[in-house]
Amino acid sequence: MATVLGKPGVDGLSEAVGVLREWQYDGAPMQLHPGDLGWFWRSGAEATAAAVRTWRRNGRILAVGLLDGPGLLRLTIAPDAQRDEELARQLVHDVTEPERGVLPEGKASIEAPMGALVQDLLFEAGWNVDEPWTPLRRDLTEPVHDPGVRIEVVGPEQAHVFAAVLRAAFDGSRFTDERWHAMAAGSPYADARCLVAYDDRGNAVAAVTVWSAGPGRPGLLEPMGVHRDHRRRGYGEAISVAAAAALRELGSSSAIVCTPSSNVGAVATYASAGFRQRPEVRDQYRNADTP
């Protein structure tokens, strides 16, 4: 039976989120997480559906991709299908032929689980290795210590506070309280929390969103940011500790996050919050002139 590329539509997003939950396990390679779809949902359900691709065989979803920006496909594959040759060859065909409606012509990048056969085939097709990213993980078996600052869980009434901190944490961010409400309306947010940290003067200084994939599975931090006016005071560590505690309360087995290896400050912040570095991962890319 052939592997079939499809778009889930808004009505099919819950199924895609569901399989992504099932594919998360401790020790898995860094991969697309249901929280990644949840964070994308800030643009609305229709935009999220338009950005998702699925690959099925015999009715079963074997791979899920998220078009996370122009020319970037974040792809993951069912654990038992990562070395499936027929699937890998179909994936390569679909991502390299623009008429298939996955990636456009020209420069493009793909994030896929390290060790998956699709990576080998992309290299054979002339794709290159991109800049390294550092995954980090914190085990949540034991209780998490108090972060040492006031932490509040964000509800609809505090959405504007969360949005303001994110805009002050990320240059060029256009996050608004309207986008928070759109994100919170998505199915992945049922198992998510937004947190804000406050200093002793009552200023909102850092924010994070955590996404559970269900009890006994790794939870994700995406995004985490510290207000530009309050950096280098330990708030990144504090909000990351609070994120780990929130995920433990949600039943997560571990907390995971991934950041560019070049962002040494972020790597150090997570390490100070009890996250341990895992082996670096790299996307693959093709130049605009690659056939």
Side-chain angles (χ1 to χ4, degrees):
M1 181 67 71
T3 300
V4 180
L5 166 65
K7 297 181 182 180
V10 172
D11 292 342
L13 282 175
S14 292
E15 183 186 13
V17 170
V19 297
L20 287 176
R21 290 177 188 271
E22 294 174 4
W23 297 347
Q24 311 302 314
Y25 62 93
D26 286 310
M30 198 69 196
Q31 61 177 334
L32 190 69
H33 189 277
D36 293 310
L37 267 64
W39 174 235
F40 196 96
W41 221 294
R42 68 195 186 278
S43 297
E46 291 78 11
T48 305
V52 173
R53 300 290 184 273
T54 58
W55 285 264
R56 295 177 184 266
R57 186 190 300 151
N58 293 330
R60 178 195 173 199
I61 295 178
L62 293 178
V64 176
L66 174 66
L67 291 164
D68 197 4
L72 170 60
L73 177 69
R74 302 182 63 189
L75 174 72
T76 196
I77 302 165
D80 62 345
Q82 295 199 1
R83 301 297 296 179
D84 183 305
E85 184 173 356
E86 192 275 333
L87 173 64
R89 293 196 180 280
Q90 187 63 50
L91 288 168
V92 171
H93 173 72
D94 289 337
V95 302
T96 55
E97 298 295 334
E99 62 270 18
R100 298 293 293 159
V102 181
L103 287 171
E105 292 183 348
K107 185 172 173 61
S109 298
I110 293 179
E111 171 194 294
M114 298 294 289
L117 181 59
V118 67
Q119 284 199 326
D120 301 342
L121 299 183
L122 287 170
F123 282 133
E124 290 178 10
W127 289 57
N128 304 298
V129 68
D130 213 338
E131 297 299 316
W133 289 65
T134 297
L136 299 102
R137 175 185 180 273
R138 174 169 174 153
D139 182 81
L140 298 179
T141 304
E142 300 296 329
V144 179
H145 67 270
D146 187 278
V149 299
R150 178 164 64 95
I151 302 291
E152 289 192 358
V153 177
V154 174
E157 298 79 11
Q158 296 83 36
H160 66 286
V161 177
F162 180 87
V165 174
L166 278 198
R167 289 196 302 272
F170 297 101
D171 293 338
S173 171
R174 296 177 293 174
F175 194 83
T176 61
D177 50 345
E178 290 83 7
R179 289 197 168 202
W180 185 91
H181 288 290
M183 176 181 73
S187 61
Y189 198 77
D191 295 316
R193 299 287 185 276
C194 287
L195 309 176
V196 171
Y198 293 84
D199 67 11
D200 54 10
R201 296 183 178 181
N203 297 307
V205 295
V208 69
T209 306
V210 296
W211 306 89
S212 168
R217 301 183 186 277
L220 176 72
L221 282 65
E222 176 62 27
M224 186 282 282
V226 178
H227 194 297
R228 64 175 62 91
D229 295 337
H230 300 279
R231 290 174 180 159
R232 298 180 179 84
R233 300 176 193 174
Y235 297 128
E237 175 184 344
I239 197 74
S240 299
V241 170
L247 284 172
R248 190 173 190 272
E249 290 178 5
L250 289 167
S252 298
S253 57
S254 59
I256 57 175
V257 68
C258 197
T259 189
S261 299
S262 59
N263 192 346
V264 293
V267 174
T269 293
Y270 292 123
S272 68
F275 289 72
R276 297 194 175 187
Q277 294 185 42
R278 299 176 64 189
E280 288 182 329
V281 297
R282 293 173 183 258
D283 294 353
Q284 293 167 279
Y285 76 93
R286 69 173 181 216
N287 291 314
D289 56 355
T290 301

